[in-house]
């Protein structure tokens, strides 16, 4: 456990403490700790790690933080760490780096490693190809079980996983997979094609979230990644699938809440970064919400005539927003995990309309008494009718917009809760004042 | 591929189609398809599956759907399927079943299997112990690599995984783990303790989400589950970890959106089920929102004096709600993935207050011109000051409440967006009217 020589000479007292603390942590704890430090202290703390450890820790950091470290550290050290990464991790890091730094790091690799990495960069962002590991163990049809085990033993640490092994026919076409477990318990003289199972594969151009869902739903350790002709290109492992799903959940969660995903640990994002992730959304939503001002201006005469109507605007608007966001978050989530598909639009909206009608009826029934007591029977009637209309509207809009968004290729989470509530707010006001005009005869 | 004899006799035409379609699907596709059918058709479709297939499919269904199938199918068939499940899957299913059915199924098991299953049921719900597999491969310190490989070969299909093997000292204490991969490439004569790595373990009483995060963050295939004395109890595999995290994400997503999680595929939930998951939340939120009615009544004189103030209420309330839900969803997510901890309260709230102040200032600066044009300079001043106050309030409340909730043991997602926006609505109105009183001199 020797620290890098260039920082050994003079360590301030608190860095010695830090070094001591880090020495007692496991890799994941160091990763967490670095995720909680500011830029400068993080670079210093990272340099305190012994070299082998530094690579391990670096591998587990978020690509955004990796990129900052690369820029903060001296270039020889980073070239070494970069070379030690897996090709798929390298590709993710390169995405985050300025072009100049990326080119320098790529140039420092040997020709084989460079070829592996640039091949990945050729696949679209967010595709399974970008996230697969091209270093994959495979065996040819006709190999015996003992021959396969020998090959895996020789492959050793050069491949990403040896637990799921594609069995290849002519032209590297994947004909099946065999698990290391199956190989181990099978007759050593048997042929791999007699012990293999049908291969569940994903294509390199598939969306990474779809590919990760295949790994999760099937409970696989790894899934072969193939091209259009079903030829083996690489493998997507379960740990990569978990990272992809975590990032997608981060993204959905942020967007449902009306901001851009941070793509890195919360505490490492500057306040300006937080502002940037949110301000455009808030401005857009305000522009959308200015419609409510227009609606109210339009109904100003009614509002003047019965000022009591204004009292219930926030409550009605809040209820519509809540009912809409319930429907939207449910549908966004169901789309993300694959429980509903784009073709289910009518079925889902039908269910949600019925749900909205029932919700509105329950709320109207429960709220009528208190509302009549506070504001009189007539206003209570207006409120009861409006709440049914608003709930029906909210669940209809809240369920249909995300599915329609998915159909036209927009992330459903983007159009979820905040936009839907603003839209429901505006239409809800129209319903409210229209009902009031009729019931109150104003 | 022979269907169960009891349904073979007379199949209506569309069931023959269904049987034909299902025969061409892989297991995951059948699981998806069953997740989209209603109760009755699902039971029929399930009975059309050949027996071996039925068990595979059943294993991958949600526990809630498994429970319905068990109740819909004849008892001999279910007893057989139940016996074929892994103990941890059995425990999850028993949680969903009425006590009588659960007791009958447990009674039908052999003594060993019954003991394994009831041991799991002894751990608290949502603990790692409840979700682990007690059938775990392990080797004793002092075993050679080739001895370990032989043992794993013999263990065969009786254990959950042979890829991560705990190395045990006296009293079944876990001293390290060795991967099958490491065993395969090591010298056959070496001792397992010389090739093992330090064991990352979780305790059986740990929260399941924490345990699953350990598996994900470390990229492990499996993690040993131990008791307080570090003795081996079972193993939590990566596919179980992924299922746990999916369920927790479902829960967070639903609660952030203001409803209860459905805990099963969306299309299998009845409309009444959807209503049940949402209605209590909506009612609670309406009760909370009735505070806004009180606030407006309190400021009725000001509202009468300057009716134009009412025009901007939905817009201000919407903005506060959006800013609060941005902060809340960000913090809830960061808590869920472990990026921030309970002790970070002050640090997080400080950052969020600054963020709110900056957001409010930007919105005020951008909005002042248009507001002055629509409603005059004085009202624009009121709006500008209010929007800064509302944003500051929203980010403060939105960030602190989830962390405080976690501290007192409440799911942070429960108190997230909807409750926070209702709270912010009410206080926002107070700010609005107070600022208006001062600036407009009413």
């Amino acid at each position: 456990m020797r620290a890098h020589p260039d920082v050994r000479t003079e360590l301030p007292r608190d860095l010695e403490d830090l070094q001591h603390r880090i020495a007692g942590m496991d890799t994941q704890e160091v990763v967490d700790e670095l995720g909680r430090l500011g830029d400068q202290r993080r670079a210093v703390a990272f340099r305190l790690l012994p070299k082998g450890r530094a690579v391990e820790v670096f591998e587990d950091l978020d690509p955004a933080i990796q990129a900052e470290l690369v820029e903060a550290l001296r270039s020889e050290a980073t070239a070494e760490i970069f070379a030690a990464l897996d090709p798929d991790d390298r590709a993710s890091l390169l995405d985050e780096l300025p072009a100049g730094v990326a080119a320098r790091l790529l140039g420092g690799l040997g020709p084989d490693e460079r070829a592996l990495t640039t091949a990945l960069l050729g696949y679209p962002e967010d595709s399974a190809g970008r996230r697969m590991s091209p270093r994959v163990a495979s065996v040819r049809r006709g190999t015996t079980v003992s021959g396969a085990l020998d090959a895996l033993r020789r492959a050793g640490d050069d491949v990403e996983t040896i637990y799921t092994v594609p069995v290849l026919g002519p032209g590297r076409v994947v004909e099946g997979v065999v698990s290391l477990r199956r190989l181990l318990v099978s007759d050593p003289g048997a042929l791999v094609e007699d012990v293999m199972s049908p291969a569940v594969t994903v294509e390199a151009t598939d969306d990474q979230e779809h590919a990760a869902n295949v790994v999760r739903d099937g409970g696989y350790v790894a899934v072969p990644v193939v091209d259009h002709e079903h030829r083996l290109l690489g493998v997507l492992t379960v740990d990569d699938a978990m990272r992809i799903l975590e990032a997608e959940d981060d993204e959905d969660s942020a967007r449902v809440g009306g901001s851009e995903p941070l793509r890195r640990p919360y505490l490492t994002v500057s306040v300006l970064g937080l502002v940037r992730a949110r301000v455009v959304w808030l401005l857009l939503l305000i522009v959308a919400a200015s419609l409510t001002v227009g609606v109210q201006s339009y109904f100003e005469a009614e509002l003047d005539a019965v000022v009591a109507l204004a009292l219930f605007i926030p409550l009605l608007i809040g209820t519509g927003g809540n009912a809409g966001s319930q429907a939207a978050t449910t549908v966004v989530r169901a789309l993300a995990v694959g429980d509903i598909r784009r073709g289910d639009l009518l079925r889902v909206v039908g269910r949600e309309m019925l749900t909205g009608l029932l919700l509105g009826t329950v709320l109207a029934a429960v709220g009528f008494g208190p509302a009549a007591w506070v504001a009189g029977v007539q206003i209570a009637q207006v409120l009861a009718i409006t709440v049914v209309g608003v709930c029906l509207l909210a669940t209809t809009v809240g369920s249909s917009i995300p599915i329609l968004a998915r159909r036209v290729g927009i992330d459903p989470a983007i159009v979820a809760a905040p936009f839907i509530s603003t839209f429901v707010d505006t239409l809800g006001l129209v319903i409210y004042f229209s009902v009031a005009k009729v019931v109150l005869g104003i």
Side-chain angles (χ1 to χ4, degrees), chain A residues 365-414:
Chain A
V366 173
F368 187 81
W373 186 66
V374 170
V377 171
Q378 273 201 315
I379 298 257
Q381 283 174 341
V382 175
L383 288 174
I385 299 172
T386 305
V387 88
V388 174
V390 164
C391 284
L392 175 61
L393 174 75
T395 53
T396 311
V397 173
S399 58
S400 55
I401 304 266
I403 303 182
L404 291 173
R406 166 66 64 95
R407 278 203 187 179
V408 297
I410 298 174
D411 179 359
I414 286 192

Short mmCIF file of all heavy atoms in Angstrom, two decimals, chain A residues 365-414:
data_model
loop_
_atom_site.label_atom_id
_atom_site.label_comp_id
_atom_site.label_asym_id
_atom_site.label_seq_id
_atom_site.Cartn_x
_atom_site.Cartn_y
_atom_site.Cartn_z
N ALA A 365 -68.89 13.06 -3.29
CA ALA A 365 -69.81 12.59 -2.24
C ALA A 365 -69.29 12.95 -0.86
O ALA A 365 -70.03 13.44 0.00
CB ALA A 365 -70.00 11.07 -2.36
N VAL A 366 -67.98 12.74 -0.67
CA VAL A 366 -67.40 13.01 0.65
C VAL A 366 -67.32 14.51 0.91
O VAL A 366 -67.54 14.98 2.03
CB VAL A 366 -65.98 12.39 0.74
CG1 VAL A 366 -65.30 12.80 2.03
CG2 VAL A 366 -66.06 10.88 0.65
N GLY A 367 -67.03 15.28 -0.14
CA GLY A 367 -66.78 16.71 0.07
C GLY A 367 -68.03 17.57 0.07
O GLY A 367 -67.98 18.73 0.52
N PHE A 368 -69.14 17.04 -0.42
CA PHE A 368 -70.32 17.88 -0.59
C PHE A 368 -70.78 18.51 0.73
O PHE A 368 -71.03 19.72 0.82
CB PHE A 368 -71.47 17.07 -1.21
CG PHE A 368 -72.66 17.92 -1.57
CD1 PHE A 368 -72.67 18.64 -2.76
CD2 PHE A 368 -73.74 18.04 -0.70
CE1 PHE A 368 -73.76 19.45 -3.08
CE2 PHE A 368 -74.82 18.84 -1.01
CZ PHE A 368 -74.83 19.54 -2.20
N GLY A 369 -70.87 17.70 1.77
CA GLY A 369 -71.34 18.19 3.06
C GLY A 369 -70.49 19.35 3.58
O GLY A 369 -71.01 20.47 3.79
N PRO A 370 -69.19 19.12 3.77
CA PRO A 370 -68.34 20.20 4.26
C PRO A 370 -68.40 21.45 3.37
O PRO A 370 -68.48 22.57 3.89
CB PRO A 370 -66.93 19.59 4.21
CG PRO A 370 -67.13 18.13 4.26
CD PRO A 370 -68.47 17.84 3.64
N ALA A 371 -68.41 21.25 2.05
CA ALA A 371 -68.43 22.40 1.14
C ALA A 371 -69.73 23.19 1.31
O ALA A 371 -69.74 24.42 1.34
CB ALA A 371 -68.25 21.95 -0.30
N ALA A 372 -70.85 22.46 1.43
CA ALA A 372 -72.15 23.13 1.61
C ALA A 372 -72.16 23.91 2.91
O ALA A 372 -72.69 25.03 3.00
CB ALA A 372 -73.27 22.09 1.60
N TRP A 373 -71.55 23.36 3.92
CA TRP A 373 -71.50 24.01 5.23
C TRP A 373 -70.67 25.29 5.15
O TRP A 373 -71.05 26.34 5.69
CB TRP A 373 -70.90 23.02 6.24
CG TRP A 373 -70.93 23.50 7.64
CD1 TRP A 373 -72.03 23.74 8.41
CD2 TRP A 373 -69.80 23.82 8.45
NE1 TRP A 373 -71.66 24.18 9.64
CE2 TRP A 373 -70.30 24.24 9.71
CE3 TRP A 373 -68.41 23.78 8.24
CZ2 TRP A 373 -69.45 24.64 10.75
CZ3 TRP A 373 -67.57 24.17 9.26
CH2 TRP A 373 -68.09 24.61 10.52
N VAL A 374 -69.56 25.25 4.43
CA VAL A 374 -68.67 26.42 4.36
C VAL A 374 -69.20 27.46 3.38
O VAL A 374 -69.19 28.66 3.68
CB VAL A 374 -67.25 25.99 3.90
CG1 VAL A 374 -66.39 27.21 3.58
CG2 VAL A 374 -66.59 25.14 4.95
N ALA A 375 -69.71 27.02 2.22
CA ALA A 375 -69.97 27.98 1.15
C ALA A 375 -71.39 27.92 0.60
O ALA A 375 -71.69 28.60 -0.38
CB ALA A 375 -68.97 27.74 0.02
N GLY A 376 -72.25 27.13 1.21
CA GLY A 376 -73.63 27.06 0.74
C GLY A 376 -73.83 25.93 -0.27
O GLY A 376 -72.88 25.48 -0.91
N VAL A 377 -75.12 25.53 -0.40
CA VAL A 377 -75.43 24.36 -1.21
C VAL A 377 -75.11 24.60 -2.69
O VAL A 377 -74.60 23.71 -3.38
CB VAL A 377 -76.91 23.98 -1.04
CG1 VAL A 377 -77.31 22.91 -2.05
CG2 VAL A 377 -77.16 23.49 0.38
N GLN A 378 -75.39 25.81 -3.18
CA GLN A 378 -75.18 26.05 -4.61
C GLN A 378 -73.72 25.92 -5.01
O GLN A 378 -73.38 25.25 -5.98
CB GLN A 378 -75.71 27.43 -4.98
CG GLN A 378 -77.20 27.39 -5.33
CD GLN A 378 -77.59 28.58 -6.15
OE1 GLN A 378 -77.20 29.70 -5.80
NE2 GLN A 378 -78.35 28.37 -7.21
N ILE A 379 -72.85 26.57 -4.22
CA ILE A 379 -71.42 26.47 -4.53
C ILE A 379 -70.96 25.02 -4.38
O ILE A 379 -70.15 24.52 -5.17
CB ILE A 379 -70.60 27.38 -3.59
CG1 ILE A 379 -71.00 28.84 -3.78
CG2 ILE A 379 -69.11 27.16 -3.78
CD1 ILE A 379 -70.04 29.66 -4.58
N ALA A 380 -71.51 24.33 -3.38
CA ALA A 380 -71.14 22.92 -3.19
C ALA A 380 -71.54 22.10 -4.41
O ALA A 380 -70.81 21.19 -4.81
CB ALA A 380 -71.79 22.37 -1.93
N GLN A 381 -72.68 22.42 -5.01
CA GLN A 381 -73.07 21.72 -6.24
C GLN A 381 -72.06 21.96 -7.36
O GLN A 381 -71.65 21.04 -8.05
CB GLN A 381 -74.47 22.18 -6.69
CG GLN A 381 -75.60 21.57 -5.89
CD GLN A 381 -76.95 22.16 -6.25
OE1 GLN A 381 -77.02 23.23 -6.84
NE2 GLN A 381 -78.01 21.46 -5.89
N VAL A 382 -71.70 23.23 -7.50
CA VAL A 382 -70.70 23.57 -8.52
C VAL A 382 -69.42 22.77 -8.28
O VAL A 382 -68.86 22.17 -9.21
CB VAL A 382 -70.38 25.08 -8.51
CG1 VAL A 382 -69.26 25.39 -9.49
CG2 VAL A 382 -71.62 25.89 -8.83
N LEU A 383 -68.98 22.75 -7.02
CA LEU A 383 -67.73 22.05 -6.71
C LEU A 383 -67.85 20.56 -6.99
O LEU A 383 -66.91 19.95 -7.54
CB LEU A 383 -67.36 22.27 -5.23
CG LEU A 383 -66.89 23.67 -4.88
CD1 LEU A 383 -66.71 23.80 -3.38
CD2 LEU A 383 -65.57 23.98 -5.59
N ALA A 384 -68.98 19.96 -6.62
CA ALA A 384 -69.14 18.52 -6.79
C ALA A 384 -69.08 18.15 -8.27
O ALA A 384 -68.37 17.22 -8.67
CB ALA A 384 -70.46 18.06 -6.17
N ILE A 385 -69.82 18.91 -9.09
CA ILE A 385 -69.81 18.60 -10.53
C ILE A 385 -68.41 18.82 -11.10
O ILE A 385 -67.89 18.02 -11.88
CB ILE A 385 -70.85 19.47 -11.28
CG1 ILE A 385 -72.25 19.17 -10.73
CG2 ILE A 385 -70.79 19.22 -12.78
CD1 ILE A 385 -73.32 20.10 -11.26
N THR A 386 -67.79 19.93 -10.68
CA THR A 386 -66.47 20.24 -11.21
C THR A 386 -65.45 19.16 -10.84
O THR A 386 -64.62 18.77 -11.68
CB THR A 386 -65.98 21.59 -10.67
OG1 THR A 386 -66.95 22.58 -10.97
CG2 THR A 386 -64.64 21.97 -11.30
N VAL A 387 -65.50 18.67 -9.60
CA VAL A 387 -64.47 17.73 -9.18
C VAL A 387 -64.58 16.42 -9.98
O VAL A 387 -63.56 15.81 -10.33
CB VAL A 387 -64.50 17.50 -7.64
CG1 VAL A 387 -65.45 16.39 -7.25
CG2 VAL A 387 -63.12 17.25 -7.11
N VAL A 388 -65.80 16.02 -10.31
CA VAL A 388 -65.95 14.83 -11.15
C VAL A 388 -65.34 15.09 -12.53
O VAL A 388 -64.56 14.28 -13.04
CB VAL A 388 -67.44 14.43 -11.29
CG1 VAL A 388 -67.58 13.27 -12.28
CG2 VAL A 388 -68.01 14.05 -9.94
N GLY A 389 -65.67 16.26 -13.09
CA GLY A 389 -65.12 16.60 -14.41
C GLY A 389 -63.61 16.69 -14.39
O GLY A 389 -62.92 16.19 -15.29
N VAL A 390 -63.08 17.31 -13.34
CA VAL A 390 -61.62 17.50 -13.27
C VAL A 390 -60.91 16.16 -13.11
O VAL A 390 -59.87 15.92 -13.75
CB VAL A 390 -61.26 18.46 -12.11
CG1 VAL A 390 -59.79 18.37 -11.75
CG2 VAL A 390 -61.63 19.88 -12.49
N CYS A 391 -61.46 15.27 -12.29
CA CYS A 391 -60.81 13.97 -12.12
C CYS A 391 -60.84 13.15 -13.41
O CYS A 391 -59.85 12.51 -13.78
CB CYS A 391 -61.48 13.18 -10.98
SG CYS A 391 -61.02 13.77 -9.36
N LEU A 392 -61.99 13.19 -14.07
CA LEU A 392 -62.11 12.49 -15.35
C LEU A 392 -61.09 13.03 -16.35
O LEU A 392 -60.35 12.29 -17.00
CB LEU A 392 -63.53 12.66 -15.89
CG LEU A 392 -63.83 12.07 -17.28
CD1 LEU A 392 -63.60 10.58 -17.29
CD2 LEU A 392 -65.25 12.40 -17.70
N LEU A 393 -61.02 14.34 -16.43
CA LEU A 393 -60.07 14.99 -17.32
C LEU A 393 -58.63 14.63 -16.96
O LEU A 393 -57.81 14.30 -17.82
CB LEU A 393 -60.27 16.51 -17.20
CG LEU A 393 -59.29 17.40 -17.94
CD1 LEU A 393 -59.59 17.37 -19.42
CD2 LEU A 393 -59.35 18.82 -17.40
N ALA A 394 -58.33 14.68 -15.66
CA ALA A 394 -56.96 14.48 -15.21
C ALA A 394 -56.47 13.07 -15.52
O ALA A 394 -55.35 12.88 -16.01
CB ALA A 394 -56.85 14.77 -13.72
N THR A 395 -57.30 12.06 -15.24
CA THR A 395 -56.83 10.70 -15.49
C THR A 395 -56.75 10.42 -17.00
O THR A 395 -55.86 9.70 -17.44
CB THR A 395 -57.77 9.66 -14.84
OG1 THR A 395 -59.11 9.91 -15.25
CG2 THR A 395 -57.69 9.72 -13.33
N THR A 396 -57.68 11.03 -17.76
CA THR A 396 -57.61 10.83 -19.22
C THR A 396 -56.33 11.42 -19.79
O THR A 396 -55.58 10.76 -20.50
CB THR A 396 -58.83 11.50 -19.90
OG1 THR A 396 -60.02 11.11 -19.22
CG2 THR A 396 -58.91 11.13 -21.36
N VAL A 397 -56.10 12.68 -19.45
CA VAL A 397 -54.90 13.35 -19.95
C VAL A 397 -53.64 12.69 -19.38
O VAL A 397 -52.67 12.42 -20.10
CB VAL A 397 -54.94 14.85 -19.58
CG1 VAL A 397 -53.62 15.52 -19.94
CG2 VAL A 397 -56.10 15.53 -20.27
N GLY A 398 -53.68 12.40 -18.10
CA GLY A 398 -52.50 11.85 -17.43
C GLY A 398 -52.09 10.50 -17.97
O GLY A 398 -50.91 10.14 -17.95
N SER A 399 -53.05 9.72 -18.45
CA SER A 399 -52.69 8.40 -18.96
C SER A 399 -52.38 8.42 -20.45
O SER A 399 -51.53 7.69 -20.93
CB SER A 399 -53.82 7.40 -18.68
OG SER A 399 -55.03 7.84 -19.27
N SER A 400 -53.08 9.28 -21.20
CA SER A 400 -52.89 9.22 -22.65
C SER A 400 -51.61 9.92 -23.11
O SER A 400 -50.92 9.42 -23.99
CB SER A 400 -54.11 9.80 -23.37
OG SER A 400 -54.36 11.11 -22.92
N ILE A 401 -51.29 11.07 -22.48
CA ILE A 401 -50.13 11.82 -22.96
C ILE A 401 -48.83 11.00 -22.90
O ILE A 401 -48.08 10.98 -23.88
CB ILE A 401 -49.97 13.15 -22.18
CG1 ILE A 401 -51.25 13.97 -22.28
CG2 ILE A 401 -48.76 13.92 -22.64
CD1 ILE A 401 -51.29 14.98 -23.36
N PRO A 402 -48.52 10.30 -21.78
CA PRO A 402 -47.27 9.53 -21.80
C PRO A 402 -47.24 8.45 -22.89
O PRO A 402 -46.20 8.24 -23.52
CB PRO A 402 -47.23 8.90 -20.41
CG PRO A 402 -48.07 9.78 -19.55
CD PRO A 402 -49.16 10.29 -20.46
N ILE A 403 -48.37 7.79 -23.13
CA ILE A 403 -48.37 6.74 -24.16
C ILE A 403 -48.19 7.36 -25.54
O ILE A 403 -47.44 6.85 -26.37
CB ILE A 403 -49.67 5.91 -24.11
CG1 ILE A 403 -49.84 5.31 -22.71
CG2 ILE A 403 -49.64 4.81 -25.15
CD1 ILE A 403 -51.07 4.45 -22.57
N LEU A 404 -48.88 8.49 -25.78
CA LEU A 404 -48.72 9.16 -27.06
C LEU A 404 -47.28 9.63 -27.23
O LEU A 404 -46.70 9.53 -28.31
CB LEU A 404 -49.69 10.34 -27.17
CG LEU A 404 -51.17 9.95 -27.28
CD1 LEU A 404 -52.06 11.18 -27.20
CD2 LEU A 404 -51.41 9.21 -28.60
N ALA A 405 -46.68 10.13 -26.15
CA ALA A 405 -45.29 10.59 -26.23
C ALA A 405 -44.38 9.44 -26.64
O ALA A 405 -43.55 9.57 -27.53
CB ALA A 405 -44.85 11.16 -24.88
N ARG A 406 -44.57 8.28 -26.01
CA ARG A 406 -43.76 7.13 -26.35
C ARG A 406 -43.93 6.78 -27.83
O ARG A 406 -42.97 6.45 -28.53
CB ARG A 406 -44.16 5.95 -25.44
CG ARG A 406 -43.68 4.58 -25.85
CD ARG A 406 -42.17 4.40 -25.78
NE ARG A 406 -41.60 4.51 -24.45
CZ ARG A 406 -41.35 3.50 -23.64
NH1 ARG A 406 -41.63 2.27 -24.00
NH2 ARG A 406 -40.81 3.69 -22.47
N ARG A 407 -45.18 6.89 -28.31
CA ARG A 407 -45.43 6.57 -29.72
C ARG A 407 -44.63 7.44 -30.67
O ARG A 407 -44.18 6.98 -31.71
CB ARG A 407 -46.91 6.75 -30.05
CG ARG A 407 -47.74 5.58 -29.67
CD ARG A 407 -49.01 5.59 -30.50
NE ARG A 407 -49.90 4.55 -30.03
CZ ARG A 407 -51.10 4.32 -30.55
NH1 ARG A 407 -51.53 5.07 -31.53
NH2 ARG A 407 -51.84 3.35 -30.09
N VAL A 408 -44.50 8.72 -30.34
CA VAL A 408 -43.76 9.59 -31.25
C VAL A 408 -42.30 9.70 -30.85
O VAL A 408 -41.58 10.56 -31.34
CB VAL A 408 -44.40 11.00 -31.35
CG1 VAL A 408 -45.80 10.90 -31.93
CG2 VAL A 408 -44.43 11.69 -30.00
N GLY A 409 -41.86 8.82 -29.92
CA GLY A 409 -40.44 8.76 -29.63
C GLY A 409 -39.94 9.76 -28.59
O GLY A 409 -38.74 10.01 -28.49
N ILE A 410 -40.86 10.36 -27.81
CA ILE A 410 -40.44 11.26 -26.73
C ILE A 410 -40.45 10.46 -25.42
O ILE A 410 -41.32 9.62 -25.22
CB ILE A 410 -41.40 12.46 -26.61
CG1 ILE A 410 -41.38 13.27 -27.90
CG2 ILE A 410 -41.05 13.33 -25.42
CD1 ILE A 410 -42.40 14.39 -27.92
N ASP A 411 -39.48 10.70 -24.53
CA ASP A 411 -39.47 10.05 -23.23
C ASP A 411 -40.77 10.39 -22.49
O ASP A 411 -41.04 11.56 -22.22
CB ASP A 411 -38.25 10.54 -22.44
CG ASP A 411 -38.18 9.92 -21.05
OD1 ASP A 411 -39.09 9.13 -20.71
OD2 ASP A 411 -37.23 10.22 -20.33
N PRO A 412 -41.59 9.36 -22.15
CA PRO A 412 -42.87 9.64 -21.50
C PRO A 412 -42.71 10.44 -20.21
O PRO A 412 -43.58 11.24 -19.86
CB PRO A 412 -43.43 8.24 -21.18
CG PRO A 412 -42.70 7.31 -22.06
CD PRO A 412 -41.37 7.93 -22.35
N ALA A 413 -41.58 10.25 -19.52
CA ALA A 413 -41.41 10.94 -18.24
C ALA A 413 -41.34 12.46 -18.43
O ALA A 413 -41.70 13.23 -17.55
CB ALA A 413 -40.14 10.44 -17.54
N ILE A 414 -40.86 12.89 -19.61
CA ILE A 414 -40.72 14.33 -19.84
C ILE A 414 -42.08 15.01 -19.79
O ILE A 414 -42.22 16.11 -19.27
CB ILE A 414 -40.09 14.58 -21.24
CG1 ILE A 414 -38.61 14.25 -21.20
CG2 ILE A 414 -40.29 16.04 -21.65
CD1 ILE A 414 -37.86 14.74 -22.41
#
